[in-house]
Every structure is written in C-alpha cells, then in structure tokens.
C-alpha cells in the first residue's frame, strides 16, 4: 500500500497516533509535513521504498530522567528532564532546551521533529534534537535556578558533547541558564568545549546569537515582502511574546522603518498605538530580562491599553510576527487578522499557528512564513557559534550578521524552489517541508539502514 496516497496519509497518521498516544502537538507537526510531502514522495519513490518517512518520525533516542533539587526553603523538589535525539543524518543533534511547566514528551517530540527540518534548511551541518524540563523558572531565585541547572546537567552530561549533541536555549532557558549548565558540564567532564550554544561572550559565545531568531525572522519576512514589491517601511506590526525573540524582532522592525504596536505574555497583551520605539524597548528588556516582571507594567508606565487574558490578533495591522509559543493563533484569530488587512504572517515561535489558521492564510493567499523556515536564524547562528568554537576564534558582528542574512535569503530561495505552485503562489509551508526533507532524506539513503 502506498503510504502517501490520501488513504495512505490517514493510515500513516492512524499508525503514528496509536504508537504515540497523547501527543497531539507531535501528531500536528507530523501531519503537516506528511501532507506537504504527499505529491513529492509519489514522484520520488526511492524515499518510499526506503521507508524514510517511517524512520524520520521515530526519534533515534529519547532520554528521560529525574531531576532532584533543593529549593531555598530547604525542601526537596523533583522535576522531569528530557532530551530527544531525533535525527543525526546531517550532523550532531542540535536544538534548544525548554524549561516550562507545560513541557512533556509530546511537546518536545514536536519541537525535535520541527528542528530536523529547520536545521536542514539553514544549510549548516546540524541534526535535530530538543530537550528540557517541566521546571518553572518563574518566581524562582537565581540560586534555585542554578541548583536546578546543576542537577539537570549532572545527568545530561553523559549524553551530550560537541560532536554528539549540542543543546541551547528555548523558552525559559537564556544566558543565565546556559551559563549554569555550561559551568556544571565543564566541572564534571573537565573539558572546555562548545557543548552548548548561546553562551556568554566572555566564555565562547557568539555575537548576534541573542538577536538571531528575531532578526532572522524579520529578514525572512523582508524576503517574502520583496516578492510582492513591499517593505517594512511604514508598516504596522503585531508581535506576541516579550522574551528574547520578541525583543529583537521589535528592534529590527524599528530599524527597517516599521512600527510595532503590541507585545504579550501569558497574562495578556499591551497595545501602544505610537509604537514601541527603541527607548521603550530598553524598558521591556529591563522588565523581562532583569526584573523578570509582567508586560502589564509597560501599560502602567506608558499609560497604554492592556488587555488581560487575550492575545493581540484582534488589533489592526499589516504584518503579524507571532513570537510567543505553539498554537497561539487559531482559526478565528487568523480570519480576523486577514479581514483587518494583514498581508504577512511570519512565525518567530515554533508552530504558533494552528493547522486551521494556516489554512486560512493559504486560502487567502497572504504571505505565510512557517517557523521552521522563518525562525531558523536562531539555530543558524548557534551553528556559527559551533564553527567559531571549533576554530577558537570569534567573528565580528558584521561578519555574523552578514552570514545570518545570507542564510535567511537562502532559506527563502529553498522555499521558493520547492513551494512555488502552478499559479505562481509560493506555498512556504510545502517549500520548507520539502526543502528541509530532501537533504536529510538523501543523507539517510546514503547511510543505509540508519
Ligand atoms: N530553540 C531554538 C529553536 O527553536 C534554537 C535552538 C538552537 O540554537 O540550538 O530553533
């Protein structure tokens, strides 16, 4: 039986869901890819004969472990740690660590699966992985976070290495956490290596790494806009989230002459009709990175609208750059965005649009950049950090930024190559899925039964 006729897709998904129960995000991520690959696999039977699809959805290895730690009150706490080593066909496993109470096996498998395609698109030699814990850094002291990170690394160190698996940050894991994790790895192994990326500049980090995901997404959106003779100049932009990705997205949009009017966190969103300029952005960075407070404090300080428990997609804008988390734009919100005149949605987060929302964007033929292409700038600069660590040198900002811009242009070209339809419409979802798949699949074919 063909596994990729429409009957085949259903049978394939039924198998996958039976084998991986209670992992809806993983099912969602796989389903999208399988749909994109349908015709391509029919036209290229070698992948089907070699069961590449069946293999690529099966993680090479999953590590799950206990993370015991003691809080400031002296109480024993226990969390669950994970590392999904998804695919190493084109390089060492590479992908971030997420610390968030919603983390579970299914969430990390969806992220690791996306990462395989994303890393392939960057043109750099990186396989795909993801990890993390259900630990909630919110409200924890620096010392508690340190003790947790040390305990986490006390197990993880035996599974990773600069040529094996190179974790980095994701939600809840930034410079502070990477520092604690790196310090513990170095003590246990007695080795100073590029085993993590997103390191501080004084111990092997790369310039532009903190900026890379946000800048990269804006560079990708700029390429998409160019296909319709448009630019960021004078455009109103909705950004969700208020963390690392959102912050540097605002900075780059400002630089290109656009105006960002929203930011959000899990409690609500702020709307600033005058735009979040560089001065106000400095406050957001202080608020979120140092004070670790809530975005509602922005509304108090600048006397702007704050909407509790809502997402910003009801506001009118030309461009939306979702930069918070998965499934943060649903079908109704997608319809609202498009009917308010939004012409471009580019995903800074991983899988922020639901499948129904994506269908709205594709049906309405707006520019839609899926995360695995649009937010690949972060992991791309992680790849450049690995290169610099191997060479034991550090490149200038200009060098890294130029490389990042070239990589985002190249990802855009790959999407155009594999995603342009007969009617000239560029389906970036298909483009990213097929373009990301080919390199990994060919490497797997070359390596035999891997
Ligand atoms: N967590 C980021 C992502 O989703 C970056 C991963 C990395 O730098 O390895 O791609």
């Amino acid at each position: 039986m063909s596994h990729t006729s429409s009957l085949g897709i259903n049978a394939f998904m039924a198998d996958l869901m039976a084998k991986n129960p209670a992992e809806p995000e993983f099912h969602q991520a796989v389903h999208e890819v399988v749909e994109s690959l349908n015709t391509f696999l029919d036209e290229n039977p070698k992948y089907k004969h070699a069961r590449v699809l069946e293999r690529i959805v099966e993680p090479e290895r999953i590590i799950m472990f206990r993370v015991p730690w003691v809080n400031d009150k002296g109480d024993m706490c226990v969390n669950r740690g994970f590392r999904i080593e998804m695919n190493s066909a084109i390089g060492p496993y590479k992908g971030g660590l997420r610390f968030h109470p919603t983390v579970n096996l299914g969430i990390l498998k969806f992220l690791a699966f996306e990462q395989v395609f994303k890393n392939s698109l960057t043109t750099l030699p990186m396989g795909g992985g993801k990890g993390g814990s259900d630990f909630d850094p919110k409200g924890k002291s620096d010392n508690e976070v340190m003790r947790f990170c040390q305990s986490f690394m006390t197990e993880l160190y035996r599974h990773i290495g600069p040529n094996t698996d190179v974790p980095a940050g994701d939600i809840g894991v930034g410079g502070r956490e990477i520092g604690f994790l790196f310090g513990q790895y170095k003590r246990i192994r007695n080795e100073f290596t590029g085993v993590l990326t997103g390191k501080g500049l004084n111990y092997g980090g790369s310039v532009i790494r903190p900026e890379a995901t946000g800048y990269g997404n804006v560079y990708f959106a700029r390429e998409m806009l160019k296909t319709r003779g448009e630019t960021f100049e004078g455009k109103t932009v909705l950004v969700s989230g208020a963390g690392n990705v959102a912050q540097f997205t605002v900075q780059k949009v400002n630089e290109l002459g656009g105006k960002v009017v929203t930011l959000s966190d899990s409690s609500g969103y702020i709307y600033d009709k005058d735009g979040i300029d560089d001065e106000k952005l400095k406050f957001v960075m202080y608020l979120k990175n140092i004070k670790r407070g809530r975005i509602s404090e922005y509304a108090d300080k600048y006397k702007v609208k704050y909407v509790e428990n809502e997402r910003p997609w009801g506001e009118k804008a030309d461009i939306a750059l979702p930069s918070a988390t998965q499934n943060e734009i649903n079908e109704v919100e997608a319809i609202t965005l498009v009917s308010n005149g939004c012409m471009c949605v580019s995903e800074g987060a991983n899988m922020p649009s639901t499948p129904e929302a994506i269908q709205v964007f594709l049906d309405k033929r707006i520019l839609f950049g899926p995360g695995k292409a649009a937010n690949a700038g972060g992991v791309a600069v992680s790849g450049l950090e690995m290169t610099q660590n191997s060479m034991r040198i550090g490149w200038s900002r200009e060098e890294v930024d130029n490389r990042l811009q070239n990589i985002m242009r190249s990802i855009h070209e790959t999407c155009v190559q594999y995603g342009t339809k007969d009617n000239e419409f560029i389906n970036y979802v298909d483009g990213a899925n097929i373009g990301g798949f080919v390199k990994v699949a060919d490497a797997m074919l070359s390596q035999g039964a891997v």
Side-chain angles (χ1 to χ4, degrees):
M1 182 190 67
S2 157
H3 275 266
T4 50
S5 63
S6 78
L7 184 77
I9 291 183
N10 291 341
F12 180 86
M13 286 309 300
D15 271 2
L16 182 103
M17 288 159 79
K19 220 171 169 181
N20 304 272
E23 297 175 0
E25 294 83 4
F26 180 56
H27 306 159
Q28 180 183 335
V30 171
H31 189 249
E32 182 201 289
V33 168
V34 174
E35 276 205 312
S36 282
L37 289 174
N38 193 21
T39 318
F40 179 79
L41 293 181
D42 280 340
E43 290 164 3
N44 297 275
K46 61 180 176 180
Y47 300 117
K48 276 204 229 174
H49 294 148
R51 289 279 189 269
V52 174
L53 209 52
E54 286 79 353
R55 285 191 273 158
I56 217 167
V57 297
E58 194 65 34
E60 289 180 13
R61 188 178 301 106
I62 292 179
I63 300 141
M64 223 168 114
F65 50 99
R66 179 205 295 164
V67 190
W69 59 281
V70 177
N71 71 13
D72 286 347
K73 289 189 290 193
D75 300 330
M76 180 67 75
C77 304
V78 58
N79 286 95
R80 186 171 285 178
F82 303 87
R83 185 72 183 165
I84 317 291
E85 297 185 335
M86 198 73 192
N87 194 301
S88 62
I90 64 167
Y93 308 108
K94 181 85 198 83
L97 297 171
R98 176 176 293 191
F99 292 170
H100 194 269
T102 57
V103 162
N104 59 38
L105 186 60
I107 297 259
L108 293 180
K109 277 171 70 180
F110 118 64
L111 289 163
F113 183 73
E114 293 267 306
Q115 200 81 44
V116 172
F117 295 79
K118 185 196 305 195
N119 293 4
S120 162
L121 286 167
T122 65
T123 72
L124 303 175
M126 299 182 288
K130 204 86 186 191
S133 174
D134 57 358
F135 173 74
D136 187 0
K138 208 191 286 171
K140 304 287 192 299
S141 71
D142 286 352
N143 279 328
E144 288 176 321
V145 171
M146 179 179 75
R147 287 195 295 274
F148 174 81
C149 288
Q150 289 178 338
S151 180
F152 186 86
M153 187 53 87
T154 300
E155 173 58 36
L156 189 67
Y157 87 93
R158 68 186 82 244
H159 307 289
I160 62 175
N163 298 310
T164 309
D165 184 353
V166 184
D170 194 80
I171 293 171
V173 178
R176 174 181 64 169
E177 291 74 19
I178 293 294
F180 295 149
L181 291 164
F182 182 81
Q184 185 72 352
Y185 181 89
K186 184 165 59 63
R187 287 181 74 194
I188 298 176
R189 285 257 171 142
N190 193 24
E191 257 178 30
F192 193 114
T193 64
V195 65
L196 294 161
T197 60
K199 299 185 293 299
L201 285 183
N202 45 15
Y203 65 95
S206 173
V207 289
I208 310 273
R209 178 62 191 88
E211 293 89 335
T213 312
Y215 281 15
N217 188 26
V218 176
Y219 293 148
F220 190 84
R222 180 173 65 179
E223 293 301 311
M224 291 201 292
L225 289 166
K226 217 184 273 172
T227 66
R228 300 201 178 168
E230 292 281 359
T231 68
F232 268 97
E233 186 71 42
K235 298 289 189 304
T236 301
V237 181
L238 307 179
V239 175
S240 63
N244 160 274
V245 179
Q247 291 167 16
F248 289 105
T249 298
V250 175
Q251 193 175 83
K252 188 53 78 177
V253 169
N254 287 347
E255 202 183 304
L256 298 184
K259 181 172 83 170
V260 178
V261 291
T262 62
L263 282 174
S264 68
D265 60 23
S266 54
S267 312
Y269 78 89
I270 59 109
Y271 176 81
D272 185 343
K273 69 170 179 5
D274 299 326
I276 301 160
D277 61 22
D278 289 346
E279 201 50 44
K280 295 172 185 169
L281 179 61
K282 262 197 210 141
F283 171 74
V284 174
M285 288 179 168
Y286 162 76
L287 177 67
K288 283 286 163 185
N289 309 346
I290 295 164
K291 192 173 173 210
R292 298 182 192 271
R294 308 303 294 163
I295 199 65
S296 58
E297 294 175 48
Y298 180 105
D300 300 338
K301 183 170 166 74
Y302 295 109
K303 309 276 171 275
V304 301
K305 176 166 97 172
Y306 172 66
V307 185
E308 212 177 336
N309 291 329
E310 290 276 334
R311 303 188 283 225
W313 314 125
E315 302 292 346
K316 193 174 159 48
D318 307 302
I319 296 168
L321 305 174
S323 308
T325 193
Q326 67 271 0
N327 292 329
E328 56 162 320
I329 303 182
N330 63 27
E331 183 176 19
V332 174
E333 290 164 321
I335 293 169
T336 309
L337 277 171
V338 176
S339 50
N340 277 338
C342 179
M343 63 163 94
C344 171
V345 177
S346 196
E347 297 184 330
N350 289 313
M351 209 168 75
S353 310
T354 64
E356 298 77 22
I358 295 175
Q359 202 51 53
V360 172
F361 300 144
L362 296 178
D363 288 346
K364 299 290 180 189
R365 302 241 180 291
I366 70 160
L367 297 167
F368 173 67
K372 60 171 80 72
N375 74 36
V379 75
V381 174
S382 276
L384 302 179
E385 183 172 330
M386 290 166 72
T387 308
Q388 294 169 79
N389 290 166
S390 297
M391 297 194 296
R392 298 190 191 283
I393 57 162
W395 287 327
S396 67
R397 284 184 76 84
E398 200 194 0
E399 169 88 39
V400 177
D401 193 43
N402 278 335
R403 285 179 186 269
L404 172 61
Q405 294 195 47
N406 286 336
I407 288 171
M408 297 318 295
R409 263 195 294 272
S410 143
I411 297 173
H412 184 269
E413 272 167 29
T414 303
C415 291
V416 172
Q417 182 189 341
Y418 289 103
T420 303
K421 304 292 166 184
D422 292 341
N423 58 7
E424 297 295 294
F425 174 67
I426 305 165
N427 182 324
Y428 289 90
V429 178
D430 286 354
N433 288 333
I434 301 169
F437 175 81
V438 171
K439 184 177 172 188
V440 177
D442 286 343
M444 288 172 72
L445 289 184
S446 305
Q447 292 169 32
V450 294

